Amino acid sequence: MIKYLRVALFATACGLLPFSASAAQATKADAEGIVQKAAAFATKNGEDKLVAEVNKKDGPFNQGDLYVVVFDKAGTVLAHPVTPALVGKNQVAEPDADGKLFRKEIVDVADKQGSGWVNYKYKNPTNGEVQAKTSYVKKQGALIIIAGAYVK
């Protein structure tokens, strides 16, 4: 049994067996990294093109429990690859499960600091459970770019 396990681990390490990094839970570093990637995309290609890319369900800014959301400066959702029904809605006055107005805090952090972290509870699209989440927020021109990691 150990022999087979060693062979499987060796084959995986060598790329002979598939391994999906997207199956792993996203980290804070992953969240900040994908926001920076989205900001760079917006700088290079324009804000409208970023919004279009983020809205693609199978686009580069949707990786399981790691995905980018874009707000305007008032907190209206411009792009959401997981829940497209939220596009066009402003929910800054709607709290999370603990009563926290996290969307308002996202707008405030972007406006006052330019970037930072916001903690709240949100439904994880990979398991359907409401979980603690921390999101990195970055103001980019007229946009607020957000991505988060669920906390264990």
Side-chain angles (χ1 to χ4, degrees):
M1 174 82 165
I2 301 264
K3 181 179 179 181
Y4 293 112
L5 183 57
R6 286 184 185 151
V7 169
L9 287 172
F10 176 76
T12 301
C14 293
L16 301 174
L17 292 178
F19 174 77
S20 174
S22 65
Q25 184 171 323
T27 65
K28 284 180 72 173
D30 295 331
E32 186 171 356
I34 200 168
V35 168
Q36 298 296 0
K37 179 180 171 185
F41 184 94
T43 298
K44 181 178 180 184
N45 300 291
E47 293 176 356
D48 290 341
K49 287 191 179 182
L50 173 66
V51 168
E53 284 299 308
V54 171
N55 272 319
K56 292 180 181 176
K57 183 179 179 179
D58 298 323
F61 299 107
N62 183 9
Q63 303 168 8
D65 74 343
L66 176 67
Y67 54 91
V68 169
V69 174
V70 180
F71 287 2
D72 68 11
K73 290 181 181 182
T76 300
V77 179
L78 300 176
H80 200 304
V82 176
T83 313
L86 294 177
V87 174
K89 294 185 179 180
N90 184 310
Q91 299 177 305
V92 295
E94 292 185 34
D96 72 357
D98 291 338
K100 182 174 185 176
L101 297 176
F102 72 94
R103 294 173 187 95
K104 180 177 181 337
E105 187 174 339
I106 286 170
V107 171
D108 290 345
V109 166
D111 184 47
K112 295 175 182 156
Q113 300 172 320
S115 64
W117 292 92
V118 175
N119 300 315
Y120 55 98
K121 296 213 175 149
Y122 202 76
K123 185 177 178 181
N124 186 328
T126 62
N127 64 22
E129 296 176 18
V130 174
Q131 294 179 266
K133 187 172 185 177
T134 185
S135 286
Y136 185 71
V137 175
K138 180 175 176 56
K139 183 178 178 182
Q140 175 75 25
L143 306 178
I144 300 171
I145 303 171
I146 309 131
Y150 291 93
V151 181
K152 293 180 183 181

